[in-house]
Amino acid sequence: RLSLEPGEVAIYDDQGNKVELLRDMIKVTAVAKVQVDAPVGVLNIDQLDINGSSLKHNGKNIGSTHQHGGVTAGSGNSGVPT
């Protein structure tokens, strides 16, 4: 069972997935995967922290281990992420 304050609500299943509408946040817990399907999406967030082992955009690594091609010393621009 979940411990909720008055006015808070949650839905959950027997696998451990849950959505909690709490006083200070909306918390989504997924045991395997979270998927959002929409024709348009907007995030208006003052501070966004992403913690994970990888981050991709359109299949390209843009996370902390991404690499660039065409890197040269100095103030020039490098190539796009590889």
Side-chain angles (χ1 to χ4, degrees), residues 3 6 10-12 26 33 39 53 56-57 60 62 67 77 80:
S3 177
I11 57 173
Y12 60 95
I26 296 173
K33 180 179 179 179
S53 59
K56 292 184 178 182
H57 177 263
K60 287 203 178 259
I62 61 168
Q67 299 177 346
N77 291 328
V80 299

Side-chain angles (χ1 to χ4, degrees), residues 3 5 8 10-12 18 20 29 32 36 41-43 51-54 57 61 73 79-81:
S3 177
E5 298 293 324
E8 296 179 338
I11 57 173
Y12 60 95
K18 61 187 169 189
E20 300 167 82
T29 303
V36 177
V42 176
L43 293 175
N51 301 301
S53 59
S54 69
H57 177 263
N61 178 4
V80 299

